[in-house]
Amino acid sequence: RKEVEQDPGPFNVPEGATVAFNCTYSNSASQSFFWYRQDCRKEPKLLMSVYSSGNEDGRFTAQLNRASQYISLLIRDSKLSDSATYLCVVRGTGNQFYFGTGTSLTVIP
Amino acid sequence: EADIYQTPRYLVIGTGKKITLECSQTMGHDKMYWYQQDPGMELHLIHYSYGVNSTEKGDLSSESTVSRIRTEHFPLTLESARPSHTSQYLCASSEYRAITYEQYFGPGTRLTVT
């Protein structure tokens, strides 16, 4: 079983739409949780860490459900520039980071 | 945010050659990582290091080696390049920020073995 599982999409949404991505992780002892953004042929860039109480950064909201081992990312008022692949990342107990395969988002004019 | 540098950015090389991919970071981070990523696929951990003289193997390490003689430098060596090594190689380092370790990536080396 993979450490981190994501729906690969693709998600094609119109500008201004709200879109949500989900992710599950297998190790209940996982320590930290993140969403990264990766543009085509570029390196992943940290979008936001995910805290137990949930957190928001502008149009982006991340939620963590430890009981269900589930992480989510909500993007409101989608912009063309949000088009990218979104990676769910989990840090294990040994300081290794585990990456999902990513969810592809295309925002359409 | 960390400043992480990788060289070369692109490399085309013949089968059987020995190559070293360079990675440096200027933020003094103890933890550094090498990942391999094929197009459209997830990142796979090759090697990681928790500090000077500390290196550990990841999932795909059997055909490469690393060294960590200085905190800022974490080179990856392929002793004999093969076409199956064609991929993107990403170096990362991590630091403790707020309440967790966050990981930052270099721009990557795109390797083609002919």
Side-chain angles (χ1 to χ4, degrees), chain B residues 24-38:
Chain B
S24 297
Q25 50 96 5
T26 59
M27 302 302 290
H29 292 172
D30 286 329
K31 296 174 177 54
M32 296 188 73
Y33 307 79
W34 275 104
Y35 294 92
Q36 183 177 342
Q37 185 182 32
D38 293 321

Side-chain angles (χ1 to χ4, degrees), chain B residues 9 13 18 25-26 35 37 43 50 66 80-81 100 105 112:
Chain B
R9 294 291 311 278
I13 201 163
K18 177 178 178 178
Q25 50 96 5
T26 59
Y35 294 92
Q37 185 182 32
L43 279 74
Y50 290 161
V66 291
S80 179
T100 185
F105 286 84
T112 302

Side-chain angles (χ1 to χ4, degrees), chain A residues 18-29:
Chain A
T18 296
V19 60
F21 305 138
N22 303 318
C23 162
T24 57
Y25 60 96
S26 61
N27 185 352
S28 60

Side-chain angles (χ1 to χ4, degrees), chain B residues 81-92:
Chain B
R82 295 209 299 268
S84 60
H85 293 140
T86 295
S87 189
Q88 169 149 279
Y89 292 82
L90 292 160
C91 180

